[in-house]
Amino acid sequence: MSLVIQEQVSLRPYNTLAVDVRARFFVAVETLEQLRAALAWAKQREIAVFLLGGGSNLVLAKDLDVLVIHLQLRGINVLSEDDEFARVEVQAGENWHAFVQWSLAQGYSGLENLSLIPGSIGAAPVQNIGAYGVEVKDHLESVLVYDRYAQQTQRLSEKECQFAYRDSLFKRESGRRVILSIIFKLPKQATLHLDYGDLRGYLNKQGITEPTPQAVSRAVCEVRAAKLPDPAQLANTGSFFKNPVVSAEHAQKLKEQYPHIVSFVQDDGQVKLAAGWLIDQAGWKGLRQGDAAVHAQQALVLVNHGNASGQQILQLAAQIQADIKQRYGVELEIEPNIIA
Ligand SMILES: Cc1cc2nc3c(=O)[nH]c(=O)nc-3n(C[C@H](O)[C@H](O)[C@H](O)COP(=O)(O)OP(=O)(O)OC[C@H]3O[C@@H](n4cnc5c(N)ncnc54)[C@H](O)[C@@H]3O)c2cc1C
């Protein structure tokens, strides 16, 4: 199939923050051959490329003078299955949540806590998506990538992906490797993680004391839908800031000043603080500057009420960062990828 390269394409429908910037060139690829051809086309013309999945983790702050490659590779394939595990290969262009639902319907567990995270399979390892105490790395066996430097495909084990909190090799060496597919190893006997974010309490209130993975998935969807705005209704890019990690000493001082501060002690003794709590306490919740705003119910989420630019969203974020630094001595790091 030949490539259809479009020019001057609005990216508004392709990013959940609904920022209206243009791509100089845009192409959808459905196969590895098309990907190679698109990369060669850009190389020949000395044009940079940008890899696009579902656009749910981006702040597009200017028109992109590049070839945007929209990854549309499709397919789900069960490689092997025994009494304990199923090994499933999923192509990068599949939708994350749809795959989670498919896996649960087959009787495979492990991904239930990651229900309703927007975006594509291919982007999931980039920031090692996580929610309710589970991360994609927990059930990922390997990733097939196209390495643009070596100009060949390569299979990376979970260890080789160098996963960390909202981080990976793919994020650190951004743009070098195109993720083509993932092999998941999914347990058939579920080990549920219910203690994070009080999922157990939510299920108990529903009278569910011995939940199935599907019941956990439904609970996660309900809790998330109540807390986070749906990008289809109100444009946003999920959590705008990472939860900051500070020393035990710093956390102790903050606790003395703010006894209700939300914090989690880490394995290494450092303390993770809830960024949303800090921003909320500082009075930013619901604050609006033109069409850029802090969500009225969730201080961690910045929203676009209509025509905010990426720059306006980033200006609001910078003011929040400066205020949090001044009040608490804490640096907030932006979570989505800024394309500026
Ligand atoms: C309402 C909402 C809730 C969210 N909740 C969570 C959450 O609970 N936990 C969480 O971790 N995240 C969350 N996110 C963030 C987001 O959903 C994830 O980061 C998701 O994995 C992004 O997928 P995407 O396909 O939209 O990626 P995009 O936004 O299209 O791309 C993100 C980055 O990955 C790169 N990329 C995309 N595809 C590939 C590929 N195939 N190969 C190599 N690089 C690629 C892009 O170049 C870009 O740098 C949320 C977002 C929203 C809007």
Side-chain angles (χ1 to χ4, degrees):
M1 212 191 295
S2 64
L3 286 183
V4 180
I5 296 181
Q6 296 170 265
E7 281 186 59
Q8 297 300 336
V9 173
S10 168
L11 294 180
R12 192 175 182 124
Y14 297 101
N15 73 100
T16 61
L17 201 49
V19 165
D20 196 8
V21 297
R22 282 179 180 271
R24 185 170 163 208
F25 299 106
F26 182 97
V27 66
V29 301
E30 295 176 4
T31 63
L32 174 57
E33 289 65 35
Q34 286 187 339
L35 172 68
R36 280 184 197 266
L39 291 170
W41 185 93
K43 196 172 180 188
Q44 217 172 27
R45 291 162 181 79
E46 296 186 357
I47 293 168
V49 305
F50 178 73
L51 305 170
L52 178 69
S56 65
N57 205 21
L58 299 178
V59 182
L60 301 172
K62 65 167 174 51
D63 288 339
L64 304 191
D65 187 17
V66 303
L67 171 65
V68 170
I69 301 182
H70 194 207
L71 293 147
Q72 295 275 291
L73 293 84
R74 302 268 178 213
I76 301 178
N77 188 16
V78 179
L79 300 178
S80 63
E81 189 170 354
D82 59 23
D83 290 344
E84 284 185 87
F85 293 101
R87 292 174 61 250
V88 185
E89 180 163 30
V90 193
Q91 302 298 312
E94 292 289 336
N95 175 269
W96 173 263
H97 176 69
F99 169 63
V100 172
Q101 294 309 302
W102 176 91
S103 69
L104 293 168
Q106 310 310 305
Y108 310 151
S109 66
L111 303 178
E112 52 279 356
N113 290 29
L114 303 178
S115 300
L116 215 59
I117 297 181
S120 61
I121 287 286
V126 175
Q127 74 153 3
N128 181 25
I129 58 168
Y132 297 98
V134 175
E135 294 178 320
V136 70
K137 75 168 176 51
D138 298 337
H139 297 287
L140 179 151
E141 184 182 283
S142 67
V143 175
L144 184 69
V145 299
Y146 179 76
D147 184 331
R148 291 174 56 203
Y149 293 2
Q151 296 189 12
Q152 61 186 27
T153 58
Q154 194 187 3
R155 184 164 292 286
L156 299 177
S157 68
E158 185 269 327
K159 216 178 170 63
E160 287 169 323
C161 297
Q162 299 174 23
F163 290 118
Y165 168 59
R166 298 296 180 272
D167 199 18
S168 71
L169 177 69
F170 312 112
K171 193 161 186 178
R172 266 167 270 155
E173 295 184 3
S174 179
R176 171 171 172 178
R177 298 174 183 85
V178 186
I179 296 172
L180 301 171
S181 65
I182 301 179
I183 296 180
F184 292 94
K185 189 175 174 190
L186 301 174
K188 294 173 78 173
Q189 313 300 326
T191 307
L192 300 177
H193 298 274
L194 303 177
D195 293 325
Y196 200 97
D198 199 25
L199 272 184
R200 195 187 303 279
Y202 183 87
L203 286 158
N204 282 346
K205 268 195 217 143
Q206 317 264 311
I208 305 171
T209 47
E210 288 184 25
T212 60
Q214 276 171 316
V216 174
S217 170
R218 275 194 296 277
V220 168
C221 291
E222 285 163 18
V223 173
R224 288 181 66 102
K227 273 179 32 184
L228 287 170
D230 176 355
Q233 312 292 329
L234 180 55
N236 75 89
T237 183
S239 303
F240 207 86
F241 301 100
K242 291 185 185 181
N243 288 324
V245 177
V246 299
S247 68
E249 199 186 5
H250 189 161
Q252 182 55 34
K253 279 197 189 132
L254 287 172
K255 191 132 198 129
E256 283 160 19
Q257 218 179 334
Y258 307 97
H260 301 297
I261 195 166
V262 179
S263 60
F264 311 91
V265 178
Q266 306 295 286
D267 292 345
D268 61 3
Q270 297 202 95
V271 180
K272 191 184 271 184
L273 305 175
W277 189 92
L278 300 173
I279 300 167
D280 190 355
Q281 292 299 305
W284 286 94
K285 196 148 89 177
L287 198 128
R288 186 166 170 170
Q289 294 178 349
D291 277 348
V294 181
H295 189 243
Q297 275 90 47
Q298 175 52 263
L300 198 50
V301 177
L302 302 193
V303 298
N304 177 3
H305 281 289
N307 289 313
S309 66
Q311 288 293 352
Q312 286 166 330
I313 298 278
L314 291 175
Q315 278 158 16
L316 177 59
Q319 291 170 44
I320 295 171
Q321 285 172 308
D323 188 38
I324 297 304
K325 172 81 180 154
Q326 201 221 331
R327 283 172 195 264
Y328 309 104
V330 171
E331 306 268 2
L332 285 185
E333 194 186 331
I334 291 178
E335 184 179 302
N337 301 273
I338 298 168
I339 313 301

